[in-house]
Amino acid sequence: MRTTPRRAVGALVLATAAATVLAACGSDSDKGKDAAGTGSSGGGSKTVTLVSHDSFAASKSVLAQFTKETGYTVKVLRGGDAGAAVNQAILTKDHPRGDVFFGVDNTLLSRALDNGLFTRYTAKDLAQVPADVQLDAAKHRVTPIDSGDVCVNYDRAYFTSHHLAPPQTFADLVKPAYKNLLVTENVSTSSPGLAFLLGSAATYGDAGWQGYWKQLKSNGVEVVDSWEQAYNDRFSGSSAGKQAKGDRPLVVSYASSPPAEVVGVTPEPARSPVGVSTGTCFRQIEFAGLLHGAKNTAGGQALIDFMLSRTFQQDMPLQMYVDPVRQDAVEPPVFVKYGAKIAHPTTLAPGKIAAERDSWVGAWNSIVLK
Amino acid sequence: MAYDRGTGKLPGSGRPGTPRGTAAGRRAGVRAALAVLPLLFFGAFFAYPVAAIVTRGLHQGGRWRFGRFADVLGDAGIRHVLWFTCWQAAASTALTLLVALPGAYAFARLDFPGRRLLRAIVTVPFVLPTVVAGSAFLALLGRGGFTDSLFGLRLDTSAWAILIAHVFFNYAVVVRTVGGVWAQLDPAQEEAARMLGAGRFAAWRRVTLPAIAPSVAAAALMVFLFTFTSFGTIQILGGPRYSTLEVEIYRQTAEVFDLPTAAVLTLLQFAAVLAILALHAWTVRRRESALRLVDPALTAHRPRGAAERTLLGGVLAVIGVLIVLPLGVLVTRSFDTPGGYGLAFYRALGSTDGGTFSVAPWQTLWNSLRFAAVATVIALTVGGLAATVLVRRAGRLVRGFDALLMLPLGTSAVTIGFGFLIALDRAPLDLRDSWLLVPLAQALVGAPFVVRVMLPVLRAVDERLREAAAVLGASPWRVWREVELPLVSRAVAIAAGFAFAVSLGEFGATVFIARPDDPTLPVAVARLLGRAGPLNYGQAMALSTVLMVVCAASLLLLEALRTNGSGEL
């Protein structure tokens, strides 16, 4: 009876002590970052804070180069997927968490702009960016940074072994030859799912897209809730899908999925196991903007300029699997060799998307899920 | 001994020379003081943030929009979601109890090789990111899986898949909560009843059942809350046709950005959770009894007779098919590289080349351990204090406090995450940029476990022991240290294990708290799974395997810490 409480107390004390030490480590490293970031040069902060979604990524060396060029250190805050991150930014717009927001795409752009999230800034190298991706060219509240195409991907092996040509267009997908082959995502919970719906709406128009989806449904389209499930579990062409015994050779994914299937595979295969149906693509453009009420305006402007620089633009493809918007950016060899170039993706104006999204999602739900 | 249980006032319990009234007053004062910290914690990190986000939804343009209730409740789609949420949770809870109670008995009373390791392993699904565990589960029980190829039994995109997956995820809740109490029941009591002529079943029903009932109810309550607010499982295994209130709150907040509807749904979920808690209080109030707690090592025995061997065999078979095999699939995938079986994915965890992170993926394990350790200490402190307050029988106010502590389990992660963001942004609670935000959010989910696990045991501690010590002149602190702590040290270890496991695996709230870039392991797994390519997927599997091993190892360690002392109980 004597030793028991002491041991129990001892264990508790030990755990508390350990946690305190761990906590101290944490706060120390934070302090370290602050000390490095907050210089004393004339009161202006030397830290610039980038708020983004969970998919944001950049090489350490590239961010270090930004610090070397400008003296600013980047602190990145990420929270959830693109939709959640935009909504968080809107919720905190009176007291923003950072200086620059990156990751609002054309499907959400109107929501962000209508809420007055950003202030004007004309980025330095904007001339290098094609006009068709500059969706706020009149006011320059946001700057295009990257683009990516949501397209149907196909399992090359399946179509070779079945002596069947892979589908290339929206119209192909409803043909009997491709019955029960496609898996797509729920438009309410998945951004590629929504993009695919928008692509069909852009192709068939306000009057025609619902009829198209009725045909897709009777042609056996399968719907799952997320891209992860569609691509990693159901799709037979991805390496994860093979392990998971996926049996759908067509999936709504990205034009950058084929190079991604090759990265890290040795020896490098002659071509990617995944192909792209180039006539089924919808273009997503991601923007960065200077947050209204940013504390470090100068740093934020420098960061936006840097995100349009060739250094950052050429780093993006292998970091975020997106295409640079800069015309003179050179893509990595793996993208050139295995990637698909989409000549004529579909797209819709952000205002149109904002106006129609809810009613389209509702209509889609009752056509496809009910 | 005549004393008033209502206030815990015992005649003559004051120190010599101290008026009785003052002693009682002091005890009430101590109780109030103990309640301060938990109240502050839940007030600042739960009530305030959630109230802030709900108010943001319902108070717009300078006036309250209560009309939204009618709109939302009038929606047939929402009513269908409510109905599905309720029945699947009820069915999942019933099925989990049915499958896991024999397991709880086997782990508590039967001594078999590998018992501790297995008890740690069954807890692993509970901490794994749902998308990972769900995928492994599907590979085994879904199309083309083990049961499909053997028996033609496919469990994907059906309500059955959801129910069985809920058993998979919550098995440990029952085994650990109920088993913890069961293992410490003195078998002599049941044997005495049988010697006095009661049949085997009657003895069990009259002696053992009342003793474990509060913990069964506690486990059922937690399983119900978890399945009621199920998110990932429904999405992965149910497909888009099935939706719970939790999924709907997420969709309305994070995707549609319809905060008024989200606020109404959040309040609906609160109402449901409070109703469940009221029901729970009503069923268990009369069943609590002082138990004779004994050393678990003395109650377990080698399986005797055909019945016990069959039971153990059945329990092991269920665990094997339902839990060990799916986890095995996961481990296999982590070694299955494009170039054949090997360690390539594990090696890649050490590199920063992949691009998903600015740090090497394995470092997220360190983040997770650090956060989980801090969260466990917070949860144990807050939950332990709360349980100590709640154990003294008291009025309605204290019971309300009990309910308050359970609410976070019934609250959507996105509501808490977004609430943190808009509420904790001004001094003195300017925590938006603090690393502490993550362990705080995790402790919010861990603390109710601590309360639930400790309360039945604390209540079972014989009141007379405390009082005897007090009569003999021990200070309240000394009574707690010398009488209660030794008796509850096992519950503390179990509670700590739960809090640690919950924190290690917590994903929802963590992902919605935009924070300086130190992702936890589950967040890292989600990021890796969100990218195409064998390397990313393989790293996600390897990282999940690491999480699995670390979780099992920490639970084993916690149990080892506990057993050092309890042998002398």
Side-chain angles (χ1 to χ4, degrees), chain A residues 1-5 7 9 19 22-23 26-27 30 54-55 57 60 75-81 83-84 87-88 90-92 95-97 111 186 188-189 223-225 227-229 231-234 239-240 243-247 260-261 263 265 318-319 369, chain B residues 53 56 135 138 143-144 157 235-236 239-241 250-251 253-257 259 333 336 354-356 358 366 370 373-374 377 418 421-422 425-426 432-433 435 481-482 485 511-517 523 527 529-535 537 564-565 568:
Chain A
M1 198 76 200
R2 287 288 335 157
T3 54
T4 313
R7 281 199 193 151
V9 170
L22 292 168
S27 51
D30 280 356
D54 254 341
S55 309
K60 229 175 183 167
K75 183 167 115 184
V76 183
L77 302 177
R78 315 182 224 210
D81 61 19
N87 295 347
Q88 286 181 11
I90 293 171
L91 272 176
T92 55
H95 187 190
R97 310 206 52 207
R111 187 186 291 171
N186 186 355
S188 318
T189 50
V223 183
V224 294
D225 260 323
W227 176 87
E228 285 83 348
Q229 286 162 262
Y231 191 84
N232 290 333
D233 279 343
R234 299 289 205 275
S239 75
Q243 285 191 23
K245 304 189 182 94
D247 57 3
E261 282 297 326
V263 170
V265 177
L318 282 176
Q319 297 293 326
L369 295 185
Chain B
I53 188 84
R56 182 73 71 101
S135 163
L138 264 185
R143 105 204 81 78
T157 59
Q235 289 211 301
I236 294 163
R241 275 169 201 81
Y250 165 77
R251 220 171 63 74
T253 310
E255 305 295 336
V256 185
F257 204 44
L259 291 183
R333 283 183 187 173
D336 191 2
T356 316
S358 47
W366 168 240
R370 192 156 59 91
V374 179
V377 172
F418 275 31
L421 214 60
I422 61 166
D425 66 335
R426 309 280 151 114
R432 290 196 309 186
D433 286 341
W435 62 274
R481 199 185 50 148
E482 306 248 334
L485 190 62
V511 80
F512 293 118
I513 301 168
R515 70 223 164 265
D517 198 28
V523 171
R527 275 192 208 168
L529 285 175
R531 285 152 187 268
L535 189 61
Y537 185 78
N564 280 343
E568 298 163 46

Side-chain angles (χ1 to χ4, degrees), chain A:
Chain A
M1 198 76 200
R2 287 288 335 157
T3 54
T4 313
R6 265 193 229 134
R7 281 199 193 151
V9 170
L12 209 67
V13 167
L14 198 77
T16 317
T20 317
V21 170
L22 292 168
C25 289
S27 51
D28 274 358
S29 60
D30 280 356
K31 270 178 211 142
K33 272 179 225 156
D34 283 353
T38 335
S40 52
S41 55
S45 174
K46 280 293 166 194
T47 301
V48 53
T49 305
L50 176 70
V51 186
S52 189
H53 50 58
D54 254 341
S55 309
F56 173 81
S59 297
K60 229 175 183 167
S61 59
V62 164
L63 293 180
Q65 188 171 338
F66 172 69
T67 307
K68 204 171 127 198
E69 284 172 12
T70 63
Y72 294 110
T73 310
V74 185
K75 183 167 115 184
V76 183
L77 302 177
R78 315 182 224 210
D81 61 19
V86 170
N87 295 347
Q88 286 181 11
I90 293 171
L91 272 176
T92 55
K93 67 178 176 177
D94 298 328
H95 187 190
R97 310 206 52 207
D99 308 302
V100 173
F101 183 88
F102 164 75
V104 55
D105 68 15
N106 45 330
T107 67
L108 293 166
L109 186 62
S110 286
R111 187 186 291 171
L113 293 180
D114 295 347
N115 277 285
L117 209 51
F118 302 113
T119 53
R120 265 168 194 272
Y121 176 64
T122 312
K124 222 166 49 186
D125 286 353
L126 209 55
Q128 290 291 340
V129 177
D132 62 338
V133 297
Q134 297 193 32
L135 297 185
D136 190 40
K139 294 186 178 164
H140 294 298
R141 290 166 295 183
V142 289
T143 307
I145 301 295
D146 68 72
S147 73
D149 297 304
V150 170
C151 313
V152 169
N153 284 199
Y154 58 85
D155 174 2
R156 280 191 202 280
Y158 175 91
F159 288 97
T160 310
S161 69
H162 285 75
H163 307 289
L164 185 64
Q168 288 304 335
T169 62
F170 280 103
D172 285 349
L173 294 172
V174 294
K175 288 179 181 162
Y178 306 111
K179 194 170 173 73
N180 297 334
L181 300 188
L182 176 67
V183 58
T184 186
E185 299 87 2
N186 186 355
V187 303
S188 318
T189 50
S190 158
S191 68
L194 178 67
F196 188 60
L197 165 64
L198 296 176
S200 71
T203 307
Y204 293 97
D206 291 3
W209 73 264
Q210 299 198 12
Y212 176 71
W213 276 93
K214 281 174 192 150
Q215 283 179 284
L216 263 187
K217 192 184 181 187
S218 52
N219 214 28
V221 66
E222 186 188 0
V223 183
V224 294
D225 260 323
S226 71
W227 176 87
E228 285 83 348
Q229 286 162 262
Y231 191 84
N232 290 333
D233 279 343
R234 299 289 205 275
F235 180 46
S236 63
S238 67
S239 75
K242 279 192 192 81
Q243 285 191 23
K245 304 189 182 94
D247 57 3
R248 294 260 158 175
L250 296 173
V251 66
V252 172
S253 184
Y254 297 91
S256 59
S257 303
E261 282 297 326
V262 176
V263 170
V265 177
T266 45
E268 253 186 26
R271 55 182 194 168
S272 174
V274 175
V276 173
S277 305
T278 50
T280 61
C281 301
F282 179 84
R283 178 148 294 178
Q284 288 183 318
I285 305 152
E286 278 194 298
F287 300 85
L290 192 63
L291 282 167
H292 186 83
K295 286 188 195 75
N296 186 355
T297 310
Q301 291 173 344
L303 182 58
I304 291 176
D305 285 342
F306 183 72
M307 291 178 93
L308 263 193
S309 72
R310 276 184 66 177
T311 312
F312 187 89
Q313 291 273 309
Q314 293 181 173
D315 182 51
M316 281 188 323
L318 282 176
Q319 297 293 326
M320 297 192 262
Y321 287 97
V322 290
D323 296 317
V325 289
R326 223 184 134 107
Q327 281 159 330
D328 60 348
V330 180
E331 295 211 323
V334 69
F335 265 66
V336 178
K337 188 172 172 193
Y338 299 102
K341 277 282 148 274
I342 312 304
H344 303 290
T346 55
T347 192
L348 283 172
K352 170 95 178 160
I353 298 172
E356 308 281 6
R357 174 211 295 262
D358 287 353
S359 69
W360 285 355
V361 167
W364 184 90
N365 266 304
S366 53
I367 294 168
V368 182
L369 295 185
K370 297 282 152 63

Side-chain angles (χ1 to χ4, degrees), chain B residues 58-372:
Chain B
L58 287 179
H59 189 85
Q60 284 181 335
R63 57 193 189 87
W64 292 93
R65 315 260 161 166
F66 290 118
R68 292 307 286 247
F69 276 92
D71 300 346
V72 174
L73 287 171
D75 187 304
I78 298 280
R79 282 206 305 273
H80 180 76
V81 165
L82 270 172
W83 163 240
F84 176 71
T85 307
C86 292
W87 89 252
Q88 67 80 21
S92 296
T93 308
L95 195 64
T96 307
L97 285 178
L98 194 72
V99 174
L101 277 176
Y105 173 78
F107 278 107
R109 283 293 166 85
L110 300 180
D111 189 16
F112 55 92
R115 180 161 70 129
R116 273 197 206 165
L117 181 65
L118 213 53
R119 183 160 47 206
I121 287 174
V122 298
T123 314
V124 166
F126 190 68
V127 306
L128 278 185
T130 352
V131 57
V132 174
S135 163
F137 196 76
L138 264 185
L140 202 70
L141 303 173
R143 105 204 81 78
F146 174 74
T147 53
D148 187 11
S149 47
L150 238 63
F151 317 109
L153 178 69
R154 278 173 51 164
L155 286 176
D156 50 330
T157 59
S158 72
W160 276 106
I162 295 172
L163 300 189
I164 293 175
H166 279 158
V167 177
F168 166 76
F169 283 112
N170 296 309
Y171 190 86
V173 176
V174 177
V175 165
R176 297 184 88 89
T177 318
V178 180
V181 174
W182 212 331
Q184 291 188 92
L185 287 184
D186 191 348
Q189 288 180 337
E190 201 177 308
E191 279 156 24
R194 291 196 61 194
M195 269 194 295
L196 293 172
R200 202 185 179 94
F201 178 71
W204 183 82
R205 195 173 60 85
R206 298 252 174 85
V207 179
T208 307
L209 187 63
I212 60 167
S215 60
V216 172
L221 176 70
M222 272 191 287
V223 174
F224 191 91
L225 278 182
F226 272 103
T227 51
F228 189 82
T229 58
S230 186
F231 181 76
T233 314
I234 303 283
Q235 289 211 301
I236 294 163
L237 295 154
R241 275 169 201 81
Y242 295 103
S243 179
T244 55
L245 205 45
E246 183 92 357
V247 174
E248 203 54 34
I249 292 173
Y250 165 77
R251 220 171 63 74
Q252 296 295 340
T253 310
E255 305 295 336
V256 185
F257 204 44
D258 182 348
L259 291 183
T261 301
V264 171
L265 294 177
T266 301
L267 292 175
L268 271 181
Q269 191 151 315
F270 275 178
V273 172
L274 290 175
I276 297 159
L277 289 168
L279 190 73
H280 167 76
W282 180 68
T283 44
V284 299
R285 190 159 306 147
R286 306 219 171 272
R287 295 224 186 125
E288 278 153 6
S289 51
L291 312 174
R292 272 185 66 197
L293 298 183
V294 296
D295 181 6
L298 302 175
T299 64
H301 57 267
R302 293 262 162 202
R304 291 182 293 241
E308 283 189 354
R309 282 199 202 96
T310 314
L311 176 89
L312 182 61
V315 165
L316 293 180
V318 165
I319 293 175
V321 174
L322 195 68
I323 297 173
V324 178
L325 277 179
L327 297 180
V329 167
L330 189 63
V331 178
T332 315
R333 283 183 187 173
S334 74
F335 293 106
D336 191 2
T337 72
Y341 283 91
L343 289 169
F345 295 145
Y346 288 88
R347 274 197 294 272
L349 292 181
S351 112
T352 50
D353 299 345
T356 316
F357 313 98
S358 47
V359 295
W362 73 265
Q363 287 187 14
T364 61
L365 172 63
W366 168 240
N367 291 337
S368 273
L369 286 173
R370 192 156 59 91
F371 289 144

